[in-house]
Amino acid sequence: MGVELSAFVGVALVSLGMVLTPGPNMIYLVSRSVTQGRRAGLVSLAGVGAGLFVYLVAATAGVVTLFTYVPQLYLALKLAGAAYLLWLAWQTVRPGGTSPFAPQGLSIDRPRKLFGMGLLTALLNPKIAILYVSLLPQFIDPTQGSVAMQSLLLGLTQIAVALTFNGTFVLAAGAVGAFFARRPDWLRVQRYVTGSLLAFFAITVATDRGKPLPA
């Protein structure tokens, strides 16, 4: 008894789709990597990974059950997350807005602060909260054994996917930033594409009528 292969694949695909949708984690990691270099980006990524693990521990401990029995908290989380994503979308497309691939004059921070900011960015990321609260439990089958163990294994799969692809963004951020610096028109297009995706995801989150399943 254990987690079925289809559950691993499903979680991996959902995680990949969310990683490829620009959000707070990607924006912070890319901006930091462009400004301060790959090493700073990787330290920040370690903080993001720690934040994901915090969510995983909470989900494994059954915190999802709280949202099941107090649906108002789940609704508040969704609406707050949608509002945050809309704010990010506006910051991207508004007149004078910037792209994460454009150097933004961020301060040069020490590793401890980089790690802490990565951790905070992950903990405040509504996409990750929604993933663990609403989506992950749907891949859990109580007939396959321990729900807590299934949560742990599927959560670790999500973290592995997130760190792998975000790490790729960190390593490539400098080259991509240089590409856009030589092509300002492409940078403008990238801004509007990113803003549109953020707005679309915000609307999707706000209008989703699904409910969290007991973990």
Side-chain angles (χ1 to χ4, degrees):
M1 304 291 282
V3 182
E4 295 184 352
L5 178 61
S6 59
F8 281 118
V9 173
V11 168
L13 290 176
V14 170
S15 302
L16 178 59
M18 298 187 78
V19 169
L20 295 179
T21 302
N25 288 352
M26 181 193 293
I27 291 173
Y28 173 72
L29 291 172
V30 170
S31 298
R32 179 56 63 185
S33 300
V34 170
T35 302
Q36 199 171 336
R38 292 178 177 177
R39 182 178 179 182
L42 292 174
V43 173
S44 300
L45 179 61
V48 170
L52 297 179
F53 190 74
V54 169
Y55 271 115
L56 172 57
V57 171
T60 303
V63 173
V64 173
T65 305
L66 174 64
F67 292 92
T68 303
Y69 289 104
V70 189
Q72 294 83 357
L73 291 178
Y74 178 63
L75 177 62
L77 173 66
K78 289 204 304 181
L79 295 180
Y84 183 50
L85 289 173
L86 283 175
W87 180 81
L88 288 175
W90 168 244
Q91 292 299 309
T92 302
V93 302
R94 67 179 175 82
T98 59
S99 163
F101 291 102
Q104 300 178 27
L106 299 177
S107 60
I108 304 301
D109 293 328
R110 295 181 179 277
R112 180 180 298 180
K113 184 173 182 180
L114 292 172
F115 182 91
M117 287 301 298
L119 172 64
L120 185 62
T121 299
L123 292 178
L124 296 180
N125 186 347
K127 290 202 304 181
I128 302 304
I130 291 168
L131 173 65
Y132 279 95
V133 169
S134 182
L135 296 179
L136 190 62
Q138 298 184 36
F139 294 96
I140 295 173
D141 183 357
T143 66
Q144 294 298 313
S146 170
V147 170
M149 182 58 66
Q150 290 183 65
S151 298
L152 178 62
L153 294 175
L154 292 175
L156 290 175
T157 300
Q158 183 273 326
I159 291 175
V161 171
L163 293 183
T164 297
F165 283 89
N166 277 315
T168 302
F169 297 147
V170 166
L171 296 177
V176 175
F179 172 85
F180 282 125
R182 297 191 299 267
R183 299 167 177 82
D185 290 339
W186 281 89
L187 188 63
R188 190 176 302 110
V189 170
Q190 186 272 330
R191 282 178 49 213
Y192 283 103
V193 170
T194 298
S196 298
L197 288 173
L198 286 169
F200 172 78
F201 191 78
I203 294 171
T204 301
V205 168
T207 58
D208 177 30
R209 296 185 179 181
K211 297 180 180 180
L213 299 178

